[in-house]
Amino acid sequence: MLTGKAGAVKILGVVLVVALISTSFIGCLGAEKSAIDKINDRKKLIIGTSSGFPPFEMINGTTNNMEGFDIDIAQAVADSLGVSLEVRDLDFSFLIGSVKIGLIDMAVAGMTITSDREKSVSFSNPYFKADQAIIVLNGSTIQTPADLQGKKIAVNLGTTGDIWVTSNLVDTGLVAAADVHRFGFASAAFLELTTHHVDAVVIDKPVADAYVASAGGVAKVVYTIVTNEYYGIAMRQSATDLVSYVNVVLQDLKDSGQYDIIVQKWFP
Amino acid sequence: MADYLFGMDISPITQNIHLFYSAILLTVLISLVAIVLGFALGMLVGLARSSRSRLIRYPATAYVDVIRGTPLLVQLFLWYFGLSVIGINIDPLPAAMLAVGFHSSAYQAEIVRGGIQSIPKGQTEAARAVGMTHLQSMRFVILPQALRLILPPLSNEFVIVIKDSSLAYAISVAEITLVSYQLNARYYEPFTVFLFAALLYLILTYVTSTLMRTLERRVRIPGYGEQE
Amino acid sequence: MSEILIETRDLRKTYKTKIKKPRRKWRGTQAEKQAYHQAVAAKMQKERASAEVAAAAGKAKSIRKPKYTYIEVLKGISVQIRKGEVVCIIGPSGGGKSTFLRCLNQLTEPTSGEVYFEGRLITDPFKEVMEKARLENNPFKAFFATQKVKGRNMRTRRDHGSVDINQVRSQMGMVFQSFNLFIHLPAKRNIMLALKEVKGMSEPEAEKRATEALKQVGLSDKADAYPLELSGGQQQRVAIARALAMEPKLMLFDEPTSALDPELIGEVLNVIKLLADSGMTMIIVTHEMNFAKGVADRILFIDQGVVAEDGPPDQLFNNPKNERTRQFLRRLSAD
């Protein structure tokens, strides 16, 4: 019955099934402790972000560390908890997935609060307001979204900029789907522009402004797409204690004036 | 309205299956072009690597070492972004085809060289003894045998090319991997979408290896490999 | 007396090899392998001796493993073979028999000396200079020296008419110890390949000739069989047919039966005998003494790179003139 090659396959099959079933239980074991307790045990707050998104998160040229508006906010939370901060640089589109699985405690990445995303994660209260913007190279004639017809555009994959371009330009037929170049990191999208692979980049306005300022005059922001977005910190839906805690921290920052100081630091 | 399979919510896939049609086409396209380019170049470089003349052999060796010594992803970026910096603007799709193709050519060159060098010297000697020139002996005796001999490792390399084509996502080519990526960005179900992507790749590679195995059987030298 | 078909003058072959660990699979003749080991041993001895001398004199001399060693496999062979002669070459392993045979059709290029086929020189007139240039210890000097020789060579050939070694080879048939049939082609095609590509025959012509050749060796029914489907004896016969079909003026056999099972040797020897009786000029390197006695007009005993004895079979076997021949024959009859 269980002899020979056929027998070996059967045994292997049973072992695999048992392994698969047991791995699905692993998630259940960790459910007892609250998120904040786990962070305290670990003595570390792990956040995920996606670099190349100035001035919210970018890599400092000299120290090679991650820095930015979001990092300072996250640091405030870590300080309040009395733990150290670990920053993981990920592809933007992996952030929510990572939060869901529990690979990171929170995602702080200039992430807009959307109803879609709220199906998967919980957001803190909004901590920043933004719109989208169109960036082009200096010699370009593009002035408005209508001018983008038939052009090539680069976006940061998974961001609201990506979503805006898809629903407003691709789905309406103004721009071909193949002409939208999507990248996991915003820096790649900017590179597309400077290497003349695309005609425009659509990305959050504060980031667009910061990028143009640092780009040495080769690019310009030509249009602000008013979307009234709000950034939030993404956390696991089951981590209700962490969500409340973070909201308290954010409120404290605002009340104490610390928030304004951080804003001044990154948006002089 | 979600669809379920083994308790997994696969509606991200089923509701967007149409996106995968062109994605599969692109993956196949990149792989095919890369395989053909890799083989054509690989033959040339492989022959050069087996040459007696150091003038021909050394540059070929350098080519193989450099390409095999750098990661494909890096080469991909060099082709796409690097060329633009020096003024040659190239689209993502051709860049992907060239990068994967040249990368594969180095490995195929070594495979071809191995095949040629494993043909026993007696075969060349018999060919020359009967009056054939070096070119004739290569064309009628060595290469026919070598090409049959290298079908198994070549088939392995073709499978690798199909898998390597997935790296084209990094330069925004909308092939299988990028489309899965995008779905994950919309639905936040990485396991489901990437499992599906893996399945697609598995089908492609399986078909390829089966085709190659049929080819091997068709051109097999009767009596080969049956020695006691 | 018939005219001289092929002759060699002071044929020499020296190998320069790097001294390194001997490879498991030796890609050369026995002569080369033995000579290599001997030369290495000799060199090492010399080094040790000189080191001892230095030590005795109170000086330290490091024993360095010598990098290169020279192996003289052929030490000057001059031989004339006439049309219609059947010559068997015998001798101990490593004596240079196979190396000599391979020099005749230039499969192995001699270091010095000449080979004349039908009166025309087929060795490279600058080969000696070229070999000397190649054996230079300094790789740079070697490269430039060989380039210079190549240049002179090309000019000479252009001015005085060149000998196309491939054409010459097509007039000599060679049969190898390991058959060397083209395994990807059936028997008939093995034979037709050279007919079409070297002799330029058309497909039907070549097919006709191939079929005839197969009939001559008694394998007409195996025309479409692939080499690896045939027995050793059958493969060797097809190899003979392949050489025969080119209508060569001279046939060279390099230990044609050494790789065969005893019961298959007979069929091959029969074919060779038939060929000899039909008047073909043949040079056969063999270990089959009885066969040699029966088929040869003349026996060459080659040992340590020279022709130690040269004479008709009854004289050489029954009344050898050379002591070394006597020793060799004695060792044979011992087992």
Side-chain angles (χ1 to χ4, degrees), chain A residues 27 61 115 143-144 150 181 249 251-252 266:
Chain A
S115 46
Q143 301 265 304
T144 65
H181 296 185
V249 172
Q251 191 60 44
D252 279 343
W266 297 105

Side-chain angles (χ1 to χ4, degrees), chain A residues 113-185:
Chain A
I113 303 171
T114 68
S115 46
D116 248 348
R117 289 173 180 162
E118 276 180 316
K119 294 185 197 153
S120 305
V121 293
S122 295
F123 280 99
S124 69
N125 291 334
Y127 68 92
F128 202 90
K129 179 171 182 291
D131 297 302
Q132 297 288 318
I134 303 177
I135 313 174
V136 295
L137 289 175
N138 258 332
S140 174
T141 53
I142 297 175
Q143 301 265 304
T144 65
D147 294 336
L148 289 173
Q149 179 166 14
K151 296 278 187 278
K152 296 201 180 129
I153 309 174
V155 294
N156 191 355
L157 200 162
T159 60
T160 41
D162 182 2
I163 298 172
W164 185 90
V165 167
T166 310
S167 24
N168 291 291
L169 296 177
V170 177
D171 289 347
T172 56
L174 282 173
V175 172
D179 282 341
V180 180
H181 296 185
R182 300 181 168 88
F183 297 87
F185 290 89

Side-chain angles (χ1 to χ4, degrees), chain C residues 237-273:
Chain C
R237 283 190 282 158
V238 173
I240 297 175
R242 178 176 63 179
L244 266 187
M246 299 285 285
E247 291 184 330
K249 304 206 171 94
L250 169 68
M251 289 276 281
L252 305 168
F253 294 82
D254 191 353
E255 302 196 32
T257 57
S258 294
L260 292 175
D261 292 335
E263 64 265 18
L264 302 170
I265 296 182
E267 63 196 56
V268 174
L269 292 181
N270 284 336
V271 170
I272 300 182
K273 179 103 173 60

Side-chain angles (χ1 to χ4, degrees), chain B residues 19-210:
Chain B
L19 290 174
F20 280 102
Y21 298 152
S22 52
I24 295 172
L25 218 69
L26 274 177
T27 295
V28 169
L29 191 62
I30 298 175
S31 309
L32 227 59
V33 171
I35 285 174
V36 169
L37 177 63
F39 187 69
L41 273 176
M43 276 287 283
L44 280 174
V45 177
L47 284 168
R49 283 272 284 140
S50 331
S51 165
R52 274 169 312 169
S53 155
R54 274 182 286 185
L55 208 64
I56 301 181
R57 206 173 54 227
Y58 281 12
T61 310
Y63 176 87
V64 170
D65 284 346
V66 165
I67 291 194
R68 292 202 309 177
T70 42
L72 175 56
L73 191 58
V74 172
Q75 290 175 16
L76 201 61
F77 290 141
L78 281 175
W79 279 98
Y80 186 56
F81 292 116
L83 280 189
S84 298
V85 167
I86 64 172
I88 307 173
N89 214 319
I90 185 172
D91 274 346
L93 184 61
M97 292 179 186
L98 285 170
V100 181
F102 273 82
H103 187 85
S104 178
S105 75
Y107 291 90
Q108 294 198 46
E110 281 304 282
I111 292 174
V112 167
R113 178 184 72 88
I116 292 177
Q117 291 184 340
S118 67
I119 307 289
K121 255 191 160 194
Q123 296 286 305
T124 332
E125 289 184 352
R128 300 309 304 273
V130 94
M132 289 200 247
T133 63
H134 178 69
L135 243 81
Q136 285 174 326
S137 72
M138 283 299 267
R139 182 170 154 210
F140 295 106
V141 175
I142 305 295
L143 285 180
Q145 293 184 39
L147 289 174
R148 287 173 172 84
L149 217 63
I150 61 175
L151 281 178
L154 217 59
S155 142
N156 187 46
E157 175 63 24
F158 292 168
V159 164
I160 291 178
V161 167
I162 295 176
K163 294 187 290 181
D164 277 351
S165 73
S166 65
L167 288 177
Y169 89 91
I171 54 175
S172 75
V173 177
E175 39 72 71
I176 296 178
T177 304
L178 185 68
V179 169
S180 315
Y181 227 72
Q182 289 173 261
L183 285 181
N184 169 50
R186 273 168 62 192
Y187 296 92
Y188 310 115
E189 288 287 342
F191 187 68
T192 316
V193 294
F194 288 122
L195 195 63
F196 183 66
L199 187 67
L200 287 179
Y201 280 110
L202 189 61
I203 294 175
L204 286 176
T205 54
Y206 182 74
V207 167
T208 305
S209 4
T210 310

